[in-house]
Every structure is written in C-alpha cells, then in structure tokens.
Amino acid sequence: MTSSNHDITKDLFTLADLGDTAADKIAGESVSAWKDALRRFVTNKGAFISMIIIALIVFFAIVGPHFFGYDIDNQDVSRANLPPKISGLEWIPAFSGHENGVDVYKEKNVKTAYWFGTDQLGRDLWTRTWHGTQISLIIALIATLADVLIGVVYGGISGYFGGMTDNVMQRIIEIIAGIPNLVWIILLILIMQPGLLAITVAILATSWLSMARIVRGEMLKLKNQEFVLASRTLGASDRRIIFRHLIPNSIGMIIINTMFSVPSAIFFEAFLSFIGLGIRSPQSSLGSLINDGYQMLQIHPYQTLYPGIIISLLLICFNIMGDGLRDAFDPKLRR
C-alpha cells in the first residue's frame, strides 16, 4: 500500500509556460544521414588515419617528382647503386649513405645526397618512386571512374527494367567475367604496346562488373518501394527515377564498393608491371620498380624497400578506409 507521504498531488508540479508551437518543437539536433555517416567515419581512428596517409601519399606523388629536379630517365652510371642518404640524418643507419660499413658517397666522390638512393643506372629513386606512385593513383582514378560511369549506369538500367533487358545484360556480364583479367591484358598487348593505355583498357573492360551486380541488386530491392510508385504516379520518367531516386538511395553501397575496387586495380597494375606486361622502362611504376629492385635484392635491398612500403600503405589504407566507410554508412555494422 502506498503511504500518504508519497502521494502524487498537483502541488508537486509547476506548469511550463509553453505555447503550442514550442511544445511541439524538437529539442534535439537534426542530423542528416550524410552528417551522421561523417561523424561515425571521423570517430573511426583507423579509417581517419588511413585517409590522412593516403592524402600525404597523393601530395608527395604530385610534388615528389619535381623536388630535386631530376627526370625519371636521368642516368649517370658514376652514381649507380648509391644507398639512401639525407643530410642532417646521417646518424640514422638507414639514411647514412653507408653500405656494408663503407661510405659509398665518399668512395664514389658524390656530393649530392639521394634520399631514396639510386638504381643500377644511376637514376634517382626518389623521383622514380613518386612518379610510379602517380601511375598507381591514375590507375585508381580510372578504376573509380569505370565503376561510377559504367558499373552504376549498367547495373541501374539492368535492375530497373528487369525482364528480357535484365537477362540479356546479365548474360553479357557473365561472358566478360568468364575471361580472366590476365587473358584480357595479353589479348590487348597483341593489339597495342604494353603500357598505361593497355592497362587502362583492361581495367575499363572488367573492373566495373562487380559494381554493376551490386547496383542491380539495389535496384531490384528499391524499385518496388512506395516512393518510386509515388514518383511514377506523378509522371516521372524512367531516367529521372533511376538517377534522381534509386541511385542516390544506393550511394552508400556505391561508395563502399568503389573504395574496395581501388586497391584491386592498384595491385593489378603492379602485378602486370612486375611480370613485364605493364609499364616498362624508362617509365616507372611501383610494380616495375619492385621488379627492378628484386634483381638487386640481395646486394641493394633498399631499391625494393621504398616502392614496397608505398604500395603496401596504399593497399592497406584503402582497405581500412573502405571498412570505415562501410561501418559509417551501415549502422548495423557499427562497432
């Protein structure tokens, strides 16, 4: 039984002096889906740090090749196989200019310090490494454009219209996907010279397939929703429904898949260059630099070290950032 001392009476309350408008006002901050995703992404330390590292690599890829004024094919055999040296940091063994206890710069009477050293032809590895990073980033950009401009449009049309259109378009995807990427590049090399153009065509031919399938699945899920029916009732065209309603509602999945396709494209280019089917000397890419350094690995391991570190950072950081974007856009996957 409730004691009389604890009875709830009208005297215990004070009426708030609020009008009808103030009573219905939402006190909390209104947060859009994009702003909420950005908040979750920024609080993901691994993804945010990865984004900063990628931004730094992009900066050095733009500025680095012009830092010392060397060209990528500037050769001088008198300075061949010089180890890394940074003036002022000679106390660090990795940047001392010494190799096997010998001051190679003094032995060859070289006054200029090469931060990443030189290769067997005397070319500056700092310049060649960051120029090779440019190639990898260009490949990443091409893969992104292929996903967005080809994969999204193709998958959106296939999933939205369905029926015979969907069947024909999906059979085309299956035929293209049935040919391995390596076969594609070999066929292209028979037609054109090995290089960036051949790799670009190979990526444009195949990299958008997974994006097309994902967007098609999203279209099949969304096209029967009420907001699509309302838009169609109001007289919206199929093009407007696809590009103004369905694809914007799939943008989170599109961004996530794009971020995961970028490291695959970078590795694809590096692999082709490593086996001699991609970028060839005197041009440089991270894959070709690793291949050149691999031939001198036991004698001069630094020639493989820096291109290997950069390509590893690119692959790891893009994957971690992709995980962060996935967690940010899908609340069910938040940690």
Side-chain angles (χ1 to χ4, degrees):
M1 181 180 295
T2 305
S3 173
S4 60
N5 294 332
H6 296 86
D7 288 344
I8 298 175
T9 63
K10 195 173 183 181
D11 300 335
L12 298 176
F13 298 91
T14 302
L15 293 176
D17 187 15
L18 296 175
D20 294 337
T21 304
D24 294 336
K25 183 179 180 181
I26 298 176
E29 180 186 359
S30 178
V31 180
S32 67
W34 283 96
K35 190 173 182 179
D36 184 51
L38 178 61
R39 283 182 177 179
R40 292 204 298 269
F41 178 78
V42 171
T43 56
N44 187 327
K45 294 181 180 178
F48 189 68
I49 292 173
S50 296
M51 184 183 68
I52 294 175
I53 293 174
I54 291 172
L56 288 173
I57 291 176
V58 171
F59 172 77
F60 279 109
I62 296 172
V63 176
H66 311 287
F67 204 77
F68 294 110
Y70 295 109
D71 293 328
I72 59 172
D73 56 352
N74 191 338
Q75 302 180 14
D76 186 351
V77 292
S78 66
R79 64 189 187 201
N81 298 321
L82 291 172
K85 181 179 180 180
I86 300 179
S87 300
L89 297 179
E90 291 91 344
W91 54 274
I92 301 177
F95 304 117
S96 64
H98 287 68
E99 194 170 43
N100 299 323
V102 178
D103 189 343
V104 182
Y105 284 79
K106 185 177 180 180
E107 187 179 67
K108 293 189 176 184
N109 194 28
V110 177
K111 304 299 183 183
T112 305
Y114 294 92
W115 288 8
F116 283 1
T118 60
D119 63 9
Q120 54 190 331
L121 296 177
R123 297 174 294 193
D124 179 31
L125 283 178
W126 169 277
T127 301
R128 290 179 61 78
T129 298
W130 292 119
H131 182 271
T133 307
Q134 281 186 6
I135 299 297
S136 295
L137 294 174
I138 290 172
I139 294 296
L141 178 62
I142 292 170
T144 302
L145 293 176
D147 277 353
V148 174
L149 299 180
I150 302 176
V152 172
V153 174
Y154 193 97
I157 294 173
S158 177
Y160 178 77
F161 289 103
M164 182 59 68
T165 302
D166 184 41
N167 286 332
V168 173
M169 296 180 76
Q170 291 308 303
R171 298 300 80 74
I172 293 173
I173 286 182
E174 291 172 2
I175 293 171
I176 297 174
I179 304 175
N181 287 340
L182 191 58
V183 175
W184 274 107
I185 194 68
I186 292 173
L187 292 174
L188 289 169
I189 289 174
L190 294 175
I191 302 172
M192 58 185 70
Q193 292 294 323
L196 183 59
L197 180 60
I199 296 175
T200 300
V201 175
I203 289 176
L204 291 175
T206 59
S207 69
W208 54 272
L209 299 178
S210 60
M211 176 66 79
R213 287 168 171 163
I214 289 174
V215 173
R216 172 182 176 267
E218 290 294 307
M219 294 300 106
L220 292 174
K221 181 176 70 176
L222 295 173
K223 70 178 184 179
N224 294 320
Q225 297 289 328
E226 287 81 0
F227 70 92
V228 177
L229 177 61
S231 182
R232 189 180 293 114
T233 303
L234 292 173
S237 63
D238 292 331
R239 178 181 176 183
R240 181 177 178 83
I241 292 174
I242 293 173
F243 292 102
R244 296 295 298 274
H245 297 289
L246 295 179
I247 288 180
N249 277 280
S250 308
I251 196 68
M253 190 64 66
I254 292 171
I255 292 174
I256 293 166
N257 190 70
T258 299
M259 293 306 302
F260 282 118
S261 69
V262 165
S264 299
I266 292 175
F267 178 79
F268 179 58
E269 179 277 324
F271 168 72
L272 291 176
S273 298
F274 182 79
I275 63 176
L277 297 178
I279 307 299
R280 293 185 175 181
S281 188
Q283 295 295 316
S284 64
S285 73
L286 293 177
S288 64
L289 288 171
I290 293 173
N291 184 33
D292 293 341
Y294 174 76
Q295 301 173 18
M296 309 289 290
L297 182 62
Q298 294 183 338
I299 307 173
H300 308 291
Y302 65 87
Q303 295 185 14
T304 306
L305 178 63
Y306 297 108
I309 289 175
I310 292 174
I311 194 171
S312 298
L313 285 174
L314 284 174
L315 297 178
I316 293 170
C317 291
F318 271 115
N319 276 296
I320 294 176
M321 195 164 76
D323 284 334
L325 288 171
R326 181 186 62 188
D327 294 346
F329 280 101
D330 191 347
K332 293 181 293 184
L333 296 177
R334 280 185 293 174
R335 294 183 181 90

